[in-house]
Amino acid sequence: MPEICRFYGIIIQMFFNDHNPPHFHVVYGDFKAVINIDDEIVEGFMPKRALKLVFEWMELHKKELIENWELAQNGELPKKIEPLK
């Protein structure tokens, strides 16, 4: 699963040919979550502080996330996205 971003110990990944709706996977230590890009639904568990950082990052890069989703759906390697600073 390609890693598209990493910041503050948070790893953002996307699977190739994954199921709809468009989403990405987040790993933070032992915590894992899936975040729906369109309606921001979270599956799994992530500490509140880490989740806040992920949503902040997502708002800055939503267009790039959708573009990466389309690449991954076509079996292409998604592009790296700038981390939260």
Side-chain angles (χ1 to χ4, degrees):
M1 171 171 37
E3 179 180 311
I4 59 173
C5 192
R6 181 184 293 243
F7 54 92
Y8 304 119
I10 299 167
I11 302 168
I12 311 289
Q13 303 171 314
M14 274 191 185
F15 285 116
F16 290 110
N17 301 314
D18 208 352
H19 62 85
N20 275 310
H23 63 276
F24 57 91
H25 299 255
V26 183
V27 178
Y28 179 66
D30 291 334
F31 302 100
K32 294 181 181 180
V34 176
I35 300 179
N36 187 326
I37 298 168
D38 294 327
D39 57 17
E40 303 177 358
I41 292 175
V42 178
E43 295 177 24
F45 180 77
M46 189 76 35
K48 189 175 183 178
R49 186 173 184 166
L51 195 56
K52 182 179 177 189
L53 292 171
V54 171
F55 278 115
E56 184 179 331
W57 173 83
M58 184 175 78
E59 284 305 313
L60 294 170
H61 300 287
K62 203 168 249 193
K63 182 179 177 186
E64 294 163 279
L65 284 165
I66 295 297
E67 290 170 0
N68 271 348
W69 176 260
E70 292 170 5
L71 287 172
Q73 289 304 297
N74 292 321
E76 298 176 49
L77 189 63
K79 298 175 183 175
K80 295 282 186 181
I81 297 177
E82 186 175 331
L84 192 62
K85 296 180 182 178

XYZ file of all heavy atoms in Angstrom:
717
model
N 0.855 -1.166 0.000
C 0.000 0.000 0.000
C 0.902 1.229 0.000
O 1.716 1.395 0.905
C -0.906 -0.033 1.227
C -1.682 1.205 1.451
S -2.947 1.103 2.739
C -2.247 0.088 3.979
N 0.772 2.073 -0.999
C 1.644 3.251 -1.087
C 1.391 4.269 0.027
O 0.259 4.595 0.351
C 1.276 3.860 -2.435
C 0.659 2.763 -3.224
C -0.017 1.889 -2.208
N 2.488 4.735 0.568
C 2.446 5.812 1.552
C 2.456 7.126 0.775
O 3.339 7.356 -0.046
C 3.667 5.718 2.453
C 3.738 6.797 3.492
C 4.957 6.662 4.371
O 5.212 5.544 4.866
O 5.664 7.673 4.539
N 1.476 7.983 1.036
C 1.428 9.249 0.304
C 1.880 10.434 1.152
O 2.180 11.493 0.612
C 0.040 9.508 -0.313
C -1.045 9.550 0.751
C -0.271 8.478 -1.396
C -2.419 9.969 0.222
N 1.929 10.259 2.470
C 2.371 11.344 3.332
C 2.703 10.805 4.718
O 2.146 9.798 5.154
C 1.285 12.414 3.423
S 1.846 13.953 4.173
N 3.598 11.556 5.404
C 3.966 11.211 6.772
C 4.290 12.514 7.507
O 5.061 13.326 7.021
C 5.181 10.298 6.769
C 5.637 9.850 8.138
C 6.915 9.031 8.043
N 6.679 7.769 7.379
C 6.836 6.580 7.942
N 7.238 6.489 9.191
N 6.611 5.483 7.262
N 3.664 12.703 8.659
C 3.946 13.882 9.477
C 3.589 13.599 10.929
O 2.618 12.918 11.218
C 3.183 15.123 8.966
C 1.695 14.946 8.836
C 0.844 15.270 9.885
C 1.133 14.452 7.664
C -0.524 15.106 9.776
C -0.229 14.289 7.545
C -1.068 14.620 8.602
N 4.391 14.091 11.834
C 4.180 13.937 13.284
C 3.877 12.492 13.694
O 3.055 12.249 14.568
C 3.064 14.860 13.764
C 3.281 16.314 13.447
C 2.386 17.004 12.652
C 4.393 16.990 13.942
C 2.587 18.352 12.349
C 4.599 18.333 13.637
C 3.700 18.998 12.849
O 3.901 20.336 12.551
N 4.515 11.535 13.027
C 4.296 10.132 13.344
C 3.034 9.542 12.732
O 2.711 8.380 12.959
N 2.316 10.331 11.936
C 1.083 9.893 11.275
C 1.434 9.483 9.850
O 2.096 10.226 9.131
C 0.046 11.042 11.253
C -0.317 11.454 12.683
C -1.188 10.640 10.449
C -1.077 12.762 12.779
N 0.979 8.300 9.450
C 1.246 7.781 8.105
C -0.078 7.726 7.344
O -1.057 7.149 7.827
C 1.878 6.383 8.164
C 3.183 6.436 8.967
C 2.106 5.828 6.764
C 3.735 5.083 9.342
N -0.093 8.326 6.153
C -1.280 8.336 5.292
C -0.996 7.418 4.107
O 0.024 7.567 3.429
C -1.591 9.758 4.769
C -1.595 10.789 5.896
C -2.875 9.748 3.952
C -2.745 10.701 6.844
N -1.923 6.472 3.847
C -1.741 5.493 2.775
C -3.018 5.352 1.947
O -4.109 5.667 2.422
C -1.406 4.127 3.379
C -0.191 4.143 4.268
C -0.017 2.842 5.021
O -0.968 2.310 5.595
N 1.194 2.324 5.044
N -2.833 4.840 0.719
C -3.968 4.481 -0.143
C -3.690 3.120 -0.767
O -2.571 2.848 -1.195
C -4.157 5.500 -1.274
C -4.980 6.671 -0.901
S -5.423 7.639 -2.364
C -6.237 8.988 -1.549
N -4.719 2.283 -0.815
C -4.626 0.980 -1.472
C -4.891 1.136 -2.967
O -5.648 2.018 -3.375
C -5.699 0.019 -0.937
C -5.424 -0.541 0.421
C -6.268 -0.245 1.468
C -4.354 -1.383 0.649
C -6.054 -0.776 2.732
C -4.121 -1.925 1.904
C -4.981 -1.608 2.941
N -4.299 0.256 -3.758
C -4.636 0.181 -5.176
C -5.988 -0.505 -5.318
O -6.298 -1.457 -4.587
C -3.593 -0.637 -5.951
C -2.265 0.046 -6.064
C -1.164 -0.433 -5.384
C -2.114 1.177 -6.846
C 0.068 0.179 -5.482
C -0.889 1.819 -6.955
C 0.206 1.310 -6.272
N -6.803 -0.056 -6.248
C -8.089 -0.679 -6.578
C -8.947 -0.942 -5.341
O -9.592 -1.978 -5.231
C -7.873 -1.981 -7.351
C -7.106 -1.750 -8.632
O -7.401 -0.825 -9.380
N -6.111 -2.564 -8.887
N -8.971 -0.009 -4.404
C -9.736 -0.156 -3.174
C -11.214 0.138 -3.442
O -11.577 0.728 -4.459
C -9.181 0.795 -2.115
C -9.381 0.318 -0.690
O -10.081 -0.693 -0.497
O -8.846 0.950 0.221
N -12.071 -0.260 -2.518
C -13.520 -0.073 -2.653
C -13.914 1.396 -2.514
O -13.199 2.188 -1.892
C -14.247 -0.905 -1.585
C -13.891 -0.485 -0.194
N -14.521 0.550 0.468
C -12.939 -0.944 0.647
C -13.987 0.704 1.668
N -13.015 -0.200 1.800
N -15.037 1.770 -3.089
C -15.601 3.115 -2.917
C -16.288 3.182 -1.574
O -16.656 2.154 -1.029
C -16.602 3.418 -4.044
C -15.883 3.942 -5.266
O -15.077 4.846 -5.176
N -16.190 3.362 -6.416
N -16.518 4.331 -1.031
C -16.234 5.683 -1.517
C -14.747 6.021 -1.349
O -14.024 5.332 -0.617
C -17.090 6.578 -0.609
C -17.191 5.819 0.663
C -17.199 4.357 0.275
N -14.296 7.092 -2.022
C -12.894 7.495 -1.922
C -12.476 7.722 -0.463
O -13.166 8.410 0.284
C -12.841 8.807 -2.713
C -13.984 8.706 -3.680
C -15.049 7.950 -2.935
N -11.355 7.136 -0.085
C -10.891 7.225 1.298
C -9.391 6.994 1.361
O -8.769 6.629 0.371
C -11.612 6.180 2.161
C -11.323 4.789 1.751
N -12.004 4.157 0.729
C -10.398 3.897 2.198
C -11.520 2.933 0.582
N -10.540 2.761 1.456
N -8.839 7.220 2.537
C -7.432 6.912 2.772
C -7.298 6.262 4.142
O -8.200 6.341 4.975
C -6.538 8.156 2.636
C -6.891 9.303 3.537
C -6.310 9.435 4.786
C -7.793 10.263 3.126
C -6.623 10.501 5.611
C -8.113 11.346 3.930
C -7.525 11.466 5.185
N -6.178 5.610 4.347
C -5.900 4.887 5.585
C -4.879 5.677 6.397
O -3.940 6.238 5.842
C -5.353 3.495 5.265
C -6.321 2.653 4.493
N -7.019 1.622 5.068
C -6.718 2.707 3.196
C -7.812 1.069 4.148
N -7.633 1.715 3.015
N -5.079 5.705 7.699
C -4.189 6.423 8.604
C -3.652 5.448 9.644
O -4.410 4.665 10.219
C -4.942 7.563 9.338
C -3.990 8.342 10.223
C -5.634 8.488 8.355
N -2.358 5.510 9.871
C -1.719 4.711 10.908
C -0.960 5.677 11.807
O -0.216 6.547 11.339
C -0.742 3.671 10.299
C -0.046 2.888 11.396
C -1.461 2.757 9.337
N -1.176 5.530 13.110
C -0.483 6.347 14.104
C -0.160 5.434 15.280
O -1.058 5.090 16.063
C -1.359 7.520 14.528
C -0.751 8.416 15.574
C 0.384 9.175 15.291
C -1.313 8.498 16.838
C 0.937 9.998 16.252
C -0.763 9.325 17.801
C 0.361 10.069 17.503
O 0.921 10.890 18.454
N 1.074 4.991 15.361
C 1.442 4.014 16.390
C 0.635 2.739 16.209
O 0.607 2.162 15.126
N -0.081 2.323 17.258
C -0.913 1.122 17.187
C -2.324 1.413 16.694
O -3.134 0.496 16.584
C -1.007 0.469 18.573
C 0.317 -0.131 19.011
O 1.133 -0.492 18.136
O 0.548 -0.223 20.233
N -2.622 2.670 16.406
C -3.974 3.066 15.995
C -4.092 3.069 14.477
O -3.162 3.439 13.770
C -4.305 4.464 16.528
C -4.216 4.566 18.013
C -3.101 5.120 18.616
C -5.246 4.096 18.816
C -3.013 5.216 19.992
C -5.170 4.183 20.191
C -4.045 4.744 20.784
N -5.277 2.657 14.014
C -5.561 2.644 12.576
C -6.961 3.179 12.338
O -7.875 2.921 13.128
C -5.468 1.224 12.016
C -4.075 0.649 12.073
C -4.025 -0.730 11.482
C -2.612 -1.281 11.586
N -2.497 -2.614 11.031
N -7.106 3.925 11.234
C -8.421 4.450 10.870
C -8.503 4.583 9.358
O -7.479 4.640 8.664
C -8.663 5.804 11.523
N -9.725 4.612 8.874
C -10.015 4.869 7.467
C -10.873 6.123 7.442
O -11.853 6.222 8.183
C -10.771 3.681 6.824
C -11.151 3.999 5.391
C -9.935 2.412 6.891
N -10.492 7.085 6.593
C -11.225 8.345 6.535
C -11.765 8.556 5.132
O -11.012 8.559 4.154
C -10.337 9.525 6.962
C -9.862 9.287 8.399
C -11.090 10.846 6.827
C -8.969 10.330 8.961
N -13.076 8.712 5.066
C -13.772 8.971 3.816
C -13.490 10.420 3.404
O -13.728 11.341 4.182
C -15.265 8.737 4.046
C -16.079 8.810 2.801
O -15.780 9.578 1.900
N -17.128 8.019 2.754
N -12.992 10.635 2.212
C -12.593 11.966 1.760
C -13.798 12.890 1.577
O -13.735 14.060 1.946
C -11.787 11.879 0.446
C -10.495 11.087 0.676
C -11.464 13.274 -0.095
C -9.774 10.687 -0.585
N -14.879 12.383 1.041
C -16.034 13.237 0.730
C -16.804 13.705 1.951
O -17.072 14.884 2.111
C -16.994 12.516 -0.219
C -16.373 12.289 -1.589
O -15.576 13.142 -2.024
O -16.676 11.261 -2.199
N -17.179 12.775 2.837
C -18.025 13.188 3.963
C -17.322 13.060 5.311
O -17.935 13.219 6.353
C -19.349 12.438 3.969
C -19.181 10.936 4.006
O -18.081 10.463 4.341
O -20.156 10.239 3.697
N -16.018 12.792 5.266
C -15.165 12.802 6.454
C -15.577 11.815 7.545
O -15.314 12.025 8.712
C -15.050 14.232 7.001
C -14.521 15.193 5.966
C -14.455 16.622 6.433
O -14.845 16.933 7.568
O -13.980 17.463 5.646
N -16.210 10.736 7.160
C -16.566 9.691 8.112
C -15.302 8.921 8.474
O -14.483 8.608 7.619
C -17.635 8.746 7.519
C -18.951 9.500 7.357
C -17.805 7.497 8.381
C -20.030 8.697 6.659
N -15.163 8.613 9.743
C -13.990 7.891 10.237
C -14.413 6.499 10.692
O -15.369 6.351 11.451
C -13.353 8.645 11.427
C -12.161 7.867 11.969
C -12.949 10.048 11.022
N -13.685 5.485 10.231
C -13.868 4.116 10.712
C -12.585 3.746 11.445
O -11.495 4.025 10.966
C -14.086 3.155 9.544
C -15.361 3.410 8.778
C -15.479 2.477 7.578
O -14.865 1.399 7.583
O -16.178 2.859 6.639
N -12.713 3.123 12.580
C -11.549 2.779 13.375
C -11.391 3.787 14.498
O -12.316 4.531 14.827
N -10.192 3.831 15.070
C -9.965 4.753 16.189
C -8.612 5.426 16.045
O -7.628 4.796 15.646
C -10.032 4.025 17.529
C -9.802 4.953 18.688
C -10.810 5.805 19.113
C -8.574 4.998 19.307
C -10.592 6.685 20.162
C -8.349 5.872 20.369
C -9.360 6.717 20.789
N -8.592 6.692 16.375
C -7.384 7.506 16.343
C -7.489 8.495 17.506
O -8.572 9.024 17.757
C -7.350 8.250 15.008
C -6.102 8.976 14.667
S -4.683 7.986 14.119
C -5.343 6.644 13.189
N -6.406 8.738 18.241
C -6.476 9.740 19.303
C -6.961 11.086 18.752
O -6.644 11.453 17.614
C -5.030 9.837 19.798
C -4.422 8.528 19.447
C -5.081 8.116 18.167
N -7.715 11.795 19.565
C -8.346 13.042 19.134
C -7.343 14.042 18.554
O -7.593 14.646 17.520
C -9.082 13.658 20.325
C -9.956 14.817 19.994
C -10.733 15.261 21.225
C -11.675 16.390 20.892
N -12.463 16.784 22.067
N -6.207 14.187 19.199
C -5.201 15.139 18.727
C -4.663 14.757 17.344
O -4.498 15.609 16.468
C -4.068 15.220 19.743
C -3.062 16.268 19.422
C -2.069 16.407 20.550
N -1.180 17.497 20.226
C -0.377 18.056 21.091
N -0.350 17.641 22.323
N 0.416 19.024 20.733
N -4.364 13.476 17.142
C -3.873 13.014 15.844
C -4.946 13.183 14.776
O -4.654 13.602 13.653
C -3.435 11.553 15.935
N -6.190 12.860 15.115
C -7.284 12.989 14.155
C -7.481 14.445 13.746
O -7.710 14.740 12.567
C -8.569 12.418 14.761
C -9.701 12.137 13.812
C -9.291 11.206 12.687
C -10.882 11.549 14.569
N -7.344 15.355 14.687
C -7.458 16.779 14.373
C -6.390 17.189 13.357
O -6.673 17.924 12.405
C -7.318 17.599 15.657
C -7.457 19.076 15.444
C -7.329 19.841 16.746
C -7.399 21.338 16.462
N -7.084 22.130 17.623
N -5.167 16.707 13.524
C -4.093 17.004 12.576
C -4.387 16.418 11.198
O -4.138 17.064 10.179
C -2.760 16.466 13.105
C -2.199 17.155 14.342
C -1.007 16.372 14.885
C -1.821 18.589 14.045
N -4.923 15.209 11.162
C -5.261 14.566 9.887
C -6.328 15.372 9.155
O -6.213 15.617 7.949
C -5.724 13.105 10.100
C -6.289 12.528 8.812
C -4.576 12.252 10.610
N -7.366 15.815 9.863
C -8.417 16.605 9.217
C -7.895 17.960 8.736
O -8.293 18.439 7.680
C -9.625 16.776 10.139
C -10.542 15.596 10.129
C -10.709 14.826 11.264
C -11.234 15.245 8.989
C -11.549 13.727 11.251
C -12.067 14.159 8.963
C -12.235 13.389 10.100
N -7.006 18.549 9.498
C -6.400 19.817 9.079
C -5.624 19.614 7.781
O -5.728 20.387 6.834
C -5.476 20.316 10.195
C -4.851 21.654 9.934
C -3.967 22.116 11.085
O -4.218 21.736 12.251
O -3.008 22.856 10.811
N -4.832 18.539 7.729
C -4.062 18.203 6.535
C -4.990 17.899 5.363
O -4.771 18.367 4.247
C -3.154 17.001 6.852
C -2.429 16.448 5.674
C -1.265 16.905 5.131
C -2.827 15.327 4.879
N -0.913 16.141 4.056
C -1.861 15.167 3.884
C -3.910 14.447 4.915
C -1.927 14.159 2.930
C -3.982 13.446 3.973
C -3.000 13.310 2.996
N -6.052 17.133 5.616
C -6.986 16.747 4.566
C -7.641 17.971 3.916
O -7.790 18.024 2.701
C -8.056 15.808 5.122
C -9.006 15.299 4.051
S -10.179 14.091 4.685
C -11.328 15.158 5.505
N -8.025 18.954 4.717
C -8.645 20.159 4.176
C -7.700 20.901 3.237
O -8.137 21.473 2.237
C -9.113 21.080 5.304
C -10.369 20.596 5.977
C -11.529 20.361 4.999
O -11.793 21.241 4.151
O -12.150 19.291 5.084
N -6.416 20.875 3.545
C -5.427 21.551 2.702
C -5.176 20.810 1.389
O -4.759 21.418 0.409
C -4.100 21.694 3.460
C -4.107 22.604 4.675
C -2.802 22.449 5.453
C -4.318 24.047 4.251
N -5.422 19.502 1.377
C -5.010 18.680 0.235
C -6.142 17.821 -0.348
O -5.877 16.792 -0.966
C -3.850 17.778 0.666
C -2.660 18.553 1.136
N -1.838 19.252 0.285
C -2.177 18.768 2.388
C -0.884 19.847 0.989
N -1.082 19.572 2.272
N -7.369 18.244 -0.183
C -8.506 17.432 -0.632
C -8.450 17.150 -2.139
O -8.688 16.019 -2.577
C -9.824 18.113 -0.262
C -10.978 17.147 -0.171
C -12.179 17.793 0.460
C -12.402 17.167 1.806
N -13.693 17.484 2.400
N -8.130 18.162 -2.931
C -8.055 17.977 -4.391
C -6.988 16.937 -4.744
O -7.217 16.061 -5.576
C -7.757 19.309 -5.064
C -7.705 19.233 -6.560
C -7.437 20.584 -7.190
C -7.312 20.434 -8.698
N -6.919 21.680 -9.336
N -5.834 17.028 -4.101
C -4.762 16.068 -4.358
C -5.150 14.653 -3.923
O -4.783 13.675 -4.576
C -3.492 16.490 -3.628
C -2.898 17.792 -4.146
C -1.921 18.382 -3.174
O -2.378 19.043 -2.221
O -0.701 18.152 -3.351
N -5.895 14.551 -2.840
C -6.364 13.236 -2.380
C -7.291 12.593 -3.400
O -7.183 11.405 -3.689
C -7.062 13.362 -1.033
C -6.137 13.549 0.166
C -6.916 14.032 1.374
C -5.409 12.254 0.470
N -8.204 13.384 -3.950
C -9.119 12.861 -4.976
C -8.335 12.435 -6.222
O -8.588 11.369 -6.800
C -10.213 13.895 -5.334
C -11.124 14.148 -4.134
C -11.005 13.453 -6.555
C -11.921 12.959 -3.661
N -7.369 13.248 -6.624
C -6.530 12.888 -7.778
C -5.770 11.594 -7.505
O -5.675 10.715 -8.375
C -5.555 14.018 -8.098
C -6.233 15.249 -8.668
C -5.304 16.451 -8.770
O -4.105 16.358 -8.397
O -5.780 17.509 -9.222
N -5.226 11.452 -6.291
C -4.519 10.223 -5.932
C -5.454 9.023 -5.896
O -5.079 7.919 -6.274
C -3.818 10.381 -4.577
C -2.422 10.934 -4.711
O -1.869 11.003 -5.800
N -1.847 11.337 -3.604
N -6.684 9.220 -5.427
C -7.666 8.138 -5.408
C -7.878 7.607 -6.828
O -7.883 6.408 -7.063
C -8.986 8.617 -4.802
C -10.046 7.564 -4.857
C -11.067 7.466 -5.768
C -10.180 6.433 -3.989
N -11.813 6.350 -5.507
C -11.292 5.703 -4.425
C -9.456 5.992 -2.883
C -11.715 4.542 -3.788
C -9.874 4.835 -2.266
C -10.987 4.124 -2.709
N -8.024 8.532 -7.763
C -8.237 8.136 -9.163
C -7.028 7.400 -9.721
O -7.174 6.402 -10.437
C -8.594 9.367 -10.000
C -9.961 9.921 -9.635
C -10.263 11.279 -10.253
O -9.455 11.789 -11.057
O -11.329 11.839 -9.919
N -5.827 7.857 -9.400
C -4.618 7.149 -9.843
C -4.588 5.731 -9.277
O -4.351 4.767 -10.011
C -3.362 7.912 -9.387
C -3.028 9.209 -10.108
C -1.885 9.929 -9.396
C -2.683 8.953 -11.562
N -4.812 5.603 -7.980
C -4.766 4.287 -7.334
C -5.838 3.352 -7.886
O -5.605 2.150 -8.022
C -4.912 4.447 -5.823
N -7.018 3.889 -8.226
C -8.086 3.067 -8.788
C -7.704 2.509 -10.154
O -8.195 1.463 -10.566
C -9.387 3.862 -8.894
C -10.031 4.158 -7.560
C -10.275 2.887 -6.770
O -11.028 2.025 -7.173
N -9.613 2.775 -5.626
N -6.812 3.228 -10.848
C -6.336 2.775 -12.156
C -5.045 1.967 -12.051
O -4.392 1.696 -13.052
C -6.127 3.982 -13.082
C -7.432 4.633 -13.454
O -8.437 3.963 -13.682
N -7.442 5.952 -13.509
N -4.665 1.606 -10.825
C -3.474 0.798 -10.622
C -2.183 1.596 -10.734
O -1.102 1.026 -10.826
N -2.298 2.925 -10.736
C -1.125 3.775 -10.842
C -0.680 4.227 -9.454
O -1.491 4.339 -8.541
C -1.433 4.995 -11.710
C -1.813 4.643 -13.134
C -2.211 5.865 -13.929
O -1.468 6.868 -13.900
O -3.282 5.824 -14.562
N 0.606 4.503 -9.327
C 1.162 4.935 -8.048
C 0.685 6.338 -7.713
O 0.855 7.261 -8.497
C 2.688 4.913 -8.141
C 3.458 5.122 -6.847
C 3.146 3.989 -5.865
C 4.935 5.194 -7.129
N 0.040 6.512 -6.550
C -0.378 7.858 -6.160
C 0.843 8.731 -5.861
O 1.895 8.224 -5.492
C -1.233 7.637 -4.909
C -0.987 6.260 -4.482
C -0.360 5.503 -5.593
N 0.660 10.027 -6.018
C 1.747 10.980 -5.795
C 1.867 11.317 -4.317
O 0.899 11.275 -3.576
C 1.475 12.258 -6.593
C 1.436 12.004 -8.080
C 1.034 13.261 -8.826
C 0.926 12.933 -10.312
N 0.435 14.058 -11.085
N 3.071 11.667 -3.913
C 3.318 12.121 -2.550
C 2.610 13.464 -2.354
O 2.525 14.268 -3.284
C 4.805 12.296 -2.272
C 5.591 11.006 -2.332
C 5.388 10.209 -1.078
C 6.299 8.989 -1.100
N 6.136 8.155 0.062
N 2.110 13.700 -1.159
C 1.466 14.956 -0.812
C 2.261 15.593 0.320
O 2.723 14.908 1.230
C -0.004 14.715 -0.382
C -0.797 14.128 -1.549
C -0.636 16.018 0.094
C -2.238 13.781 -1.212
N 2.408 16.903 0.252
C 3.184 17.639 1.237
C 2.631 17.410 2.647
O 1.420 17.451 2.859
C 3.138 19.126 0.901
C 4.032 19.972 1.770
C 4.044 21.426 1.330
O 3.846 21.700 0.155
O 4.261 22.270 2.215
N 3.515 17.206 3.612
C 3.061 16.985 4.984
C 2.591 18.273 5.650
O 2.879 19.370 5.167
C 4.309 16.445 5.683
C 5.451 16.928 4.877
C 4.963 17.070 3.462
N 1.906 18.113 6.737
C 1.477 19.230 7.565
C 2.705 19.766 8.293
O 3.527 19.000 8.787
C 0.434 18.754 8.570
C -0.337 19.798 9.346
C -1.154 20.670 8.402
C -1.248 19.133 10.352
N 2.843 21.069 8.327
C 4.023 21.684 8.974
C 3.598 22.544 10.129
O 2.546 23.035 10.198
C 4.791 22.509 7.962
C 5.372 21.646 6.850
C 6.113 22.480 5.879
C 6.646 21.602 4.748
N 7.323 22.327 3.745
